[in-house]
Amino acid sequence: MTYAITQTCCNDATCVAVCPVNCIHPTPGEPDFGTTEMLYIDPKACIDCGACADACPVDAIFPADRLTGRLREYEAINADYYADRTPEPAVASPNFHSWGAPSFPRSLPSDFAPLRIAVVGTGPAGMYAAEDLLLHTNAEVTLIDRLPVAGGLLRYGVAPDHPATKGAGEAFARFHSHPRVRLRLGVEIGRDVSVEELAAHHDAVIYAVGAPADRRLGIPGEDLPGSVAATSVVSWYNAHPETGADAVDVSAGRVVIVGNGNVALDVARVLVMDPDALAATDIADHALAALRGTRVREVVLLGRRGPEHAAYTSSELLALKHLSGVELLVDDRDPRTGETIDTAAPGDRAALLRDVPREAVDWTREPARDRRRIVLRFHSAPVEALGTERVRAVRVTGSTEDGAPAATEIGAGLLVRAIGYRGVRLAGLPFDEATGTVPHEAGRVTGLPGGYVVGWIKRGPSGGIGANRACAEETVGTLLADAVAGALPSPTGTPQAFRKLVRSRSAGLVDARGLAAIDRAERARGRDAGRPRVKLATVPELVAAARGKRWRRPV
């Protein structure tokens, strides 16, 4: 029996570190690392020890002979990665495989003094940086987030039907109560505390503030009611306290989503899947209620280029193909779409669509009321959102069956733009408007001694959860090298002074004890409803729970 890595692989390579036979690839030292959609286990080299499964933070690894349903395909997916690869020569070694030369990229003096480091942002990027500091140095870490609850993108960006991916948050949560950690939630840097004030109380500050804004389409009608960003939809169904319960209207029969990346697929899947299945997740109460009464029967995903350039990962498309009660369809009116799928080589992205039904969709017809489906439409981009008081249709580019260019009008009551995220300027930090990132050198903020960046605000909105591990390792390595070289400014304020400062500035300050109280309250609500947890969806509710109170909505 061997093990196989499945859909929820986060690519952080924790499994690689514990494998005694080097059977998981690509590894962080290999050229392919960071370019593949997931990691893969070599079935011929695996010795069935299970160390990788125990270490995986997102429960993505299982014995191959126990895979069922839609996960069965991953046994072949893992094996196929090695089909054309030459195995390493066998060596006589008690460790089962040869080892590379020892490498010690960091060297800290034995008398290295403890540093006080602030990490702004409690999502994966910030927590990987905090983990690195706490496990490999004697630093004291202040974790700061503008929301009164930790988690960042893990809490508010991962689809509710991906609980294994959310499980990475459990691994990070153990650091919230670490003896060298001080949690300061509900504090917004740039509003409650300035960048300069934060720096004055710490040896260094790592900004992990992500890329919270969306990219716009730049078409007429984009600002009509019924035209929203995917970020808003994701926040809506994840109970983000800054997104109202009425932020998304799901009363239309058809939804058009511009983009075909993983976020677009997440939104499409949540909008049409069985609400009873969603009821077993931590989806927001208001979103679940709306989806129980939804009229959405069809979601159209627009891709500007062909299926060979689709932005989704193979694992997310496979999940759509196995979505219960939902038909997946390719609109092949454009002849290039079918030709590309039919001629795709095994392993190519377009080849995954070979067994998906195709149809030259008649967009003049209303969606059928007795079925739910997701339509993939390639070589098509939005030109205009049509309507007077709200979106009623979207005009898109396309072609006739003989390949001639032809615009098409698709009736829809909801238009969702899912074409990427973008960082926003933080007062006190330099900012590159062209890239939506903070200028830096290996994580060191340009022109700001003691300032560092990690995650999407550093490299742009690319890479999943696991990509932040290597990103954080680089930034922390740069910070420590600067500390050894004596290049960090000395703080003038004490930890006690900073605590007094944030208490005087933030009315909704939450510490580790308060965060634990929020967790208990949400889990208790979940037990009452037969769900894993029911999220508190507003800032007052979260703060009240942190203080052991039950918030009462004003009447």
Side-chain angles (χ1 to χ4, degrees):
M1 181 183 72
T2 64
Y3 279 74
I5 299 177
T6 64
Q7 176 187 351
T8 56
C9 175
C10 70
N11 277 293
D12 85 341
T14 299
C15 53
V16 172
V18 299
C19 177
V21 294
N22 196 31
C23 74
I24 305 174
H25 298 272
T27 67
E30 295 173 346
D32 284 351
F33 186 74
T35 67
T36 58
E37 295 180 352
M38 54 183 279
L39 306 182
Y40 307 87
I41 293 176
D42 185 348
K44 295 181 179 179
C46 178
I47 61 171
D48 185 27
C49 69
C52 54
D54 292 338
C56 179
V58 292
D59 294 331
I61 306 177
F62 301 94
D65 63 352
R66 296 183 189 175
L67 296 176
T68 60
R70 61 185 176 82
L71 297 183
R72 284 293 306 167
E73 295 174 90
Y74 285 91
E75 181 177 10
I77 289 172
N78 279 253
D80 288 347
Y81 178 78
Y82 297 93
D84 299 322
R85 297 175 184 271
T86 303
E88 292 184 2
V91 294
S93 167
N95 296 313
F96 305 108
H97 66 91
S98 58
W99 293 90
S103 175
F104 303 98
R106 297 178 186 169
S107 180
L108 300 179
S110 59
D111 60 348
F112 188 66
L115 296 172
R116 295 207 310 269
I117 311 295
V119 177
V120 182
T122 58
M127 291 310 300
Y128 273 124
E131 178 185 57
D132 195 343
L133 289 165
L134 292 167
L135 296 184
H136 302 124
T137 77
N138 54 359
E140 298 174 354
V141 177
T142 306
L143 290 175
I144 299 171
D145 203 296
R146 65 187 181 84
L147 296 176
V149 64
L153 201 63
L154 276 172
R155 179 178 171 95
Y156 293 120
V158 176
D161 62 331
H162 283 0
T165 303
K166 290 175 179 280
E170 300 296 327
F172 293 137
R174 72 188 193 275
F175 294 109
H176 295 157
S177 57
H178 191 284
R180 285 187 280 118
V181 167
R182 295 295 177 267
L183 209 57
R184 305 290 183 238
L185 305 177
V187 178
E188 183 171 347
I189 303 304
R191 183 194 66 184
D192 302 321
V193 176
S194 70
V195 165
E196 294 76 16
E197 288 173 322
L198 183 60
H201 292 82
H202 296 88
D203 293 286
V205 180
I206 300 176
Y207 292 92
V209 293
D214 64 280
R215 296 186 181 276
R216 293 180 60 80
L217 299 172
I219 62 172
E222 183 175 10
D223 293 321
L224 281 170
S227 173
V228 299
T231 51
S232 297
V233 182
V234 172
S235 296
W236 173 73
Y237 62 56
N238 273 320
H240 194 292
E242 294 176 343
T243 302
D246 58 352
V248 179
D249 183 350
V250 291
S251 62
R254 180 185 287 134
V255 176
V256 171
I257 300 177
V258 182
N260 55 23
N262 283 353
V263 173
L265 266 61
D266 281 347
V267 172
R269 192 180 61 252
V270 170
L271 289 178
V272 297
M273 71 184 296
D274 185 353
D276 287 340
L278 287 171
T281 73
D282 67 352
I283 188 172
D285 266 355
H286 56 251
L288 181 60
L291 291 170
R292 285 196 183 280
T294 183
R295 294 175 54 201
V296 175
R297 289 295 176 267
E298 183 173 278
V299 177
V300 184
L301 291 159
L302 299 182
R304 180 172 53 87
R305 299 189 292 175
E308 73 276 25
H309 298 296
Y312 51 69
T313 58
S314 301
S315 58
E316 289 301 314
L317 180 66
L318 289 174
L320 275 194
K321 292 168 69 173
H322 294 287
L323 190 58
S324 177
V326 178
E327 176 189 356
L328 182 63
L329 179 74
V330 173
D331 179 5
D332 69 347
R333 183 173 297 276
D334 188 312
R336 293 173 294 178
T337 297
E339 291 170 7
T340 299
I341 294 172
D342 290 336
T343 59
D348 288 352
R349 187 154 302 181
L352 293 171
L353 296 170
R354 194 162 290 152
D355 60 345
V356 175
R358 300 179 218 166
E359 176 185 318
V361 179
D362 182 357
W363 296 111
T364 63
R365 296 182 178 179
E366 290 291 319
R369 296 184 179 182
D370 59 348
R371 70 180 180 192
R372 290 172 291 156
R373 71 177 185 177
I374 295 173
V375 182
L376 297 171
R377 179 179 167 90
F378 298 99
H379 298 293
S380 186
V383 176
E384 182 180 4
L386 304 172
T388 51
E389 296 184 357
R390 63 173 295 110
V391 171
R392 64 165 181 81
V394 183
R395 182 174 290 121
V396 302
T397 60
S399 69
T400 62
E401 293 184 68
D402 60 4
T408 300
E409 186 174 308
I410 301 177
L414 181 62
L415 171 64
V416 181
R417 57 184 181 273
I419 55 173
Y421 293 85
R422 177 180 171 79
V424 297
R425 180 184 295 276
L426 180 62
L429 295 183
F431 189 72
D432 186 333
E433 291 288 351
T435 62
T437 60
V438 170
H440 68 93
E441 299 172 5
R444 182 191 302 111
V445 176
T446 303
L448 185 67
Y452 301 84
V453 284
V454 68
W456 284 2
I457 195 63
K458 170 186 173 184
R459 65 182 190 272
S462 63
I465 294 171
N468 291 296
R469 178 184 286 276
C471 182
E473 184 178 350
E474 178 188 56
T475 294
V476 172
T478 300
L479 186 159
L480 294 177
D482 289 348
V484 171
L488 296 182
S490 299
T492 56
T494 65
Q496 294 76 17
F498 185 70
R499 178 174 179 270
K500 290 180 180 179
L501 177 67
V502 295
R503 285 174 66 91
S504 67
R505 303 279 182 84
S506 172
L509 185 66
V510 173
D511 58 12
R513 187 173 298 177
L515 180 61
I518 291 172
D519 183 63
R520 288 193 301 271
E522 291 185 338
R523 290 181 185 274
R525 295 179 63 184
R527 284 192 299 271
D528 293 342
R531 300 171 59 192
R533 74 167 63 231
V534 173
K535 289 179 179 175
L536 299 166
T538 68
V539 168
E541 287 177 302
L542 288 163
V543 173
R547 295 173 180 173
K549 302 175 183 178
R550 183 166 185 170
W551 183 73
R552 300 183 186 279
R553 190 178 300 275
V555 294

